[in-house]
mmCIF file of all heavy atoms in Angstrom:
data_model
loop_
_atom_site.group_PDB
_atom_site.id
_atom_site.type_symbol
_atom_site.label_atom_id
_atom_site.label_comp_id
_atom_site.label_asym_id
_atom_site.label_seq_id
_atom_site.Cartn_x
_atom_site.Cartn_y
_atom_site.Cartn_z
ATOM 1 N N GLU A 48 10.846 30.369 21.305
ATOM 2 C CA GLU A 48 9.462 29.879 21.157
ATOM 3 C C GLU A 48 8.548 30.418 22.237
ATOM 4 O O GLU A 48 7.408 30.819 22.043
ATOM 5 C CB GLU A 48 9.457 28.345 21.166
ATOM 6 C CG GLU A 48 10.111 27.663 19.948
ATOM 7 C CD GLU A 48 9.380 27.886 18.595
ATOM 8 O OE1 GLU A 48 8.384 28.563 18.578
ATOM 9 O OE2 GLU A 48 9.875 27.360 17.624
ATOM 10 N N ASN A 52 5.455 32.990 21.661
ATOM 11 C CA ASN A 52 4.098 32.626 22.226
ATOM 12 C C ASN A 52 3.536 33.798 23.041
ATOM 13 O O ASN A 52 2.326 34.076 22.877
ATOM 14 C CB ASN A 52 4.133 31.375 22.976
ATOM 15 C CG ASN A 52 4.124 30.135 22.141
ATOM 16 O OD1 ASN A 52 3.905 30.250 20.945
ATOM 17 N ND2 ASN A 52 4.339 28.999 22.713
ATOM 18 N N HIS A 56 0.283 35.096 21.230
ATOM 19 C CA HIS A 56 -0.895 34.539 21.848
ATOM 20 C C HIS A 56 -1.396 35.189 23.140
ATOM 21 O O HIS A 56 -2.431 34.898 23.667
ATOM 22 C CB HIS A 56 -0.755 33.052 22.127
ATOM 23 C CG HIS A 56 -0.309 32.227 20.941
ATOM 24 N ND1 HIS A 56 -1.117 32.077 19.847
ATOM 25 C CD2 HIS A 56 0.813 31.548 20.650
ATOM 26 C CE1 HIS A 56 -0.520 31.283 18.939
ATOM 27 N NE2 HIS A 56 0.621 30.960 19.426
ATOM 28 N N GLY A 110 5.901 25.170 18.447
ATOM 29 C CA GLY A 110 6.614 25.915 19.436
ATOM 30 C C GLY A 110 6.706 25.170 20.766
ATOM 31 O O GLY A 110 7.815 24.910 21.277
HETATM 32 MG MG1 LIG C 2 4.431 29.128 19.288
#
Side-chain angles (χ1 to χ4, degrees):
Chain A
E48 295 291 2
N52 279 352
H56 305 295

